[in-house]
Amino acid sequence: MTPTPSPTSPHAPPRIPPLIPVEDFCRTPVATSGSISPDGTKIAYLAPERGRLNVWIRGVDTAANGGTEFGDAVCVTHDHHRDIHSYRWTDDPRWLLYTQDGDGDENWHVFRVDLEDPDAPAVDLTPFPGVRTMDFWQPGGLPGTVIAVLNRRRRDQFDVHRITIATGEHTIVAENPGHIGGWLCGRHGELFATVVPPTGGHEIHSWDPETGTSRPITAYDGADLPMGLTPSTVTPDGTGIWLGSNRGSDLIRLTRLDVATGEETVVDSHPTYELDTRSGVNEAFPSPLILSGRTGEILAVRYLGERQAIHALDPHFAAVYERLSRLSHGDLDSVSSDTGGRRWVVSFTHDTEPGVTHYYDHETGESRELFRPHPHLDPAALAGKHPVSFTARDGLTVHGYLTLPVGVAPTRLPLVLLVHGGPWFRDGPGYEPRVQLLANRGYAVLQVNMRGSSGYGAAFTRAAIREFAGRMHDDLVDAVDWAVGAGYADPRRVGIFGGSYGGYSALIGVTFTPDVFAAAVDLCGISDLANFIRTLPAFARPLIGNNFLTYVGDPDVPEDEADMLARSPITRVDRIRTPLMVIQGANDVRVVQEESDLVVEAVRARGVEVEYLVKADEGHRFQNPENLIDVYRAVERFLARHLGGRQHRSDLISHQAAAPHVPSQ
């Protein structure tokens, strides 16, 4: 365990850094998400055009200049409404693909860009209103083709479409018979199905394209894997599936499932860490598998403990990784190479130097920094995350990260307990804007991977079953007690802040343990567990048997519904006396606005302070910079008023000049 700074350190603290404006933490990156083309001649990356991230292309040998002036760089997409965050090269150097939804509604569409005519409008390859692309692949054995999973026929069922990239022609290659929750595709178009039975569990089926039927291969316990098996990748020869499985182990490790026999064999494991499965919840995180773009074989496997651990399985990549690891003290993030494995573009996650991206030529040994997404941020002014652990009241060891403000004695600080979403996710190392904003304002920031979080084994995950508002919340309160007992936190100045499940935790904090927290910020949090499950979108409902129905309950079962209501903040609003801020995206399809409206109306009826911000063009995850600036300025003011942290003068002036918020919509 990495030691945490002592609150009684005899060494003089470094200089307190200046207050960094909120805008600097929410600013659009100058360049990010770099990758190299399969032929090794071009680099793609995301950079602003008219204030929104778009895809740019430049030659691989163009000298870098801080990510903003690449000489031959050309913008090839032109979405000026909403940032683009995901794109892919194709096997044809003419085409590039990217995905976009509508103002956070999660109805993802796949667009094609013509690199020979970069000013031409992008072509929507999935041009169906209200339809969501769940996943898509470009099978190596089917050049010029996208295999996409769409709910065009029925919103609650996903079929498999074959799309010709050049023409946009669609062919349905597998129609969902009704029981299939997801699909897997091999390099030659082989299809496999994932099924969640009504009673829970994960089944993997083979698919017979001639009969349109599936055959079960094997099944896994759903409670161990509430978010499914990550990764789930068909082997290049189509005879197996690489899976993140804990069968026969407490920890998730990499296995190979033989699709003919159902036999599972271990491919790789770590003695104490699980596979890094965060991409199964949030695609912004890298896959645990680093694969060859040419062959589809495994180059390396990622594990995550306090920091990342990489096991290189391919000898050539082992030599490449040895050189790449010298480029940064951070953890390897995005990885791309040409088909020959000579030229590489990689980025790194790091607490204080986010997303620095490098070019490396393995043949010549040449390497150079391509860009820094946020060159305006001084790493010396940012704070590092310190891994910590403590013993919960029932004896369970719980891990997390503590971030302490730079230049301030780490004693009796105002503390913000920042709770992650999911809850089947986990906090890890790396730069987070809101963590750095809070630390810059003088707060200690404590992130807790309470029971139920991923990454700590099946027993730790299962310890959260039916413990919403119970021992899961006890872990958070115990974390606060640990921080207070260690001398880091002032017990009278503790706030709680989170999004999604973290927002639910903030509401639980002010309804179940109101004496612990002096302020609470809820971002898209659940207030009524039964209503939340009943209002989930059709595309999500087949997948909840292993998580919410197992871990919380089924609202259609009277006894479960009664228990869910007892664990819901909406039933205890009469206990709220803590100042509360609620933030909501109007287009959130996972935690609908009604969840926030109900709790705000009930609290206001009692005359308790509550601020309410609703953004009409956001969903479950806020992304527009102007909205993030509004939100975090409001959070800064709110916490400064109730916890006593610092506040940037420009934000104070802008607040005084602005008209009061009209909180409810």
Side-chain angles (χ1 to χ4, degrees), residues 243-390:
L243 297 171
S245 167
N246 60 5
R247 180 177 287 170
S249 170
D250 185 55
L251 300 176
I252 296 175
R253 52 196 179 171
L254 181 63
T255 66
R256 181 188 181 277
L257 174 69
D258 187 304
V259 299
T261 66
E263 181 182 358
E264 183 181 303
T265 56
V266 176
V267 176
D268 191 61
S269 63
H270 189 283
T272 55
Y273 294 170
E274 285 198 331
L275 287 177
D276 185 355
T277 61
R278 291 176 296 173
S279 62
V281 179
N282 185 343
E283 292 181 356
F285 290 89
S287 167
L289 300 185
I290 301 174
L291 301 177
S292 165
R294 179 175 61 86
T295 68
E297 294 289 349
I298 299 174
L299 302 181
V301 184
R302 303 177 196 258
Y303 298 87
L304 186 62
E306 293 177 359
R307 291 281 302 274
Q308 180 188 82
I310 286 185
H311 288 180
L313 304 188
D314 174 82
H316 175 73
F317 183 77
V320 169
Y321 178 61
E322 193 277 329
R323 296 298 299 272
L324 294 177
S325 62
R326 303 179 192 177
L327 300 178
S328 171
H329 295 298
D331 291 344
L332 190 64
D333 189 12
S334 64
V335 179
S336 66
S337 77
D338 60 13
T339 54
R342 171 189 167 182
R343 292 178 160 187
W344 299 78
V345 170
V346 300
S347 67
F348 294 86
T349 58
H350 190 279
D351 295 349
T352 62
E353 296 186 75
V356 181
T357 300
H358 298 261
Y359 168 81
Y360 168 64
D361 187 319
H362 191 58
E363 185 174 295
T364 66
E366 173 198 2
S367 64
R368 64 180 185 267
E369 183 179 302
L370 292 175
F371 53 76
R372 291 174 175 257
H374 304 285
H376 59 285
L377 293 175
D378 177 7
L382 302 180
K385 290 182 176 180
H386 305 281
V388 297
S389 65
F390 61 91

Side-chain angles (χ1 to χ4, degrees), residues 10-54:
H11 303 292
R15 181 178 63 86
I16 299 175
L19 286 170
I20 301 171
V22 166
E23 293 90 338
D24 284 8
F25 292 110
C26 302
R27 189 182 298 181
T28 299
V30 298
T32 187
S33 303
S35 67
I36 196 164
S37 61
D39 64 6
T41 64
K42 295 183 287 293
I43 292 173
Y45 59 99
L46 299 175
E49 185 187 62
R50 291 170 54 180
R52 293 290 188 251
L53 287 176
N54 278 274

Side-chain angles (χ1 to χ4, degrees), residues 2 30 54 59 87 164 167 171 202 243 262 293 318 343 366 397 401 438 449 481 545 605 616 636 638:
T2 303
V30 298
N54 278 274
Y87 69 88
T164 303
T167 65
T171 304
H202 300 285
L243 297 171
R343 292 178 160 187
E366 173 198 2
T397 299
Y401 295 84
L438 292 169
N449 290 323
D481 291 343
E636 177 192 30
F638 179 78

Side-chain angles (χ1 to χ4, degrees), residues 551-586:
Y551 278 73
V552 183
D554 185 343
D556 292 335
V557 176
E559 295 82 1
D560 282 7
E561 182 180 26
D563 183 63
M564 294 164 75
L565 287 173
R567 298 173 186 272
S568 295
I570 196 65
T571 61
R572 294 197 177 202
V573 290
D574 60 318
R575 303 188 68 194
I576 296 179
R577 54 181 180 271
T578 306
L580 174 65
M581 171 176 282
V582 177
I583 304 162
Q584 179 71 40

Side-chain angles (χ1 to χ4, degrees), residues 7 21 49 56 147 177 191 199 204 209 247 257 312 334 397 442 464 517 526 549 556 571 594 622 626 634 638:
E49 185 187 62
W56 293 67
I147 302 295
L191 292 178
T199 55
I204 296 180
R247 180 177 287 170
L257 174 69
S334 64
T397 299
F517 301 104
I526 302 164
L549 297 188
D556 292 335
T571 61
E594 180 186 12
F622 282 36
E626 63 274 16
F638 179 78

Side-chain angles (χ1 to χ4, degrees), residues 201-266:
H202 300 285
E203 296 178 1
I204 296 180
H205 293 221
S206 63
W207 179 258
D208 185 338
E210 299 297 325
T211 63
T213 59
S214 67
R215 174 185 63 84
I217 300 172
T218 192
Y220 297 85
D221 192 315
D224 282 355
L225 303 162
M227 297 305 292
L229 296 100
T230 301
S232 300
T233 303
V234 181
T235 60
D237 62 7
T239 65
I241 302 174
W242 289 313
L243 297 171
S245 167
N246 60 5
R247 180 177 287 170
S249 170
D250 185 55
L251 300 176
I252 296 175
R253 52 196 179 171
L254 181 63
T255 66
R256 181 188 181 277
L257 174 69
D258 187 304
V259 299
T261 66
E263 181 182 358
E264 183 181 303
T265 56
V266 176

Side-chain angles (χ1 to χ4, degrees), residues 29 86 141 163 255 293 399:
S86 176
I163 306 171
T255 66
H399 297 265

Side-chain angles (χ1 to χ4, degrees), residues 281 418-427 434 448-450 452-454 498-503 505 620:
V281 179
L418 188 59
V419 187
H420 67 67
W424 305 281
F425 191 60
R426 62 157 289 174
D427 287 312
R434 61 183 178 181
V448 181
N449 290 323
M450 66 282 169
S453 302
S454 63
S500 194
Y501 175 84
S505 292
H620 198 55

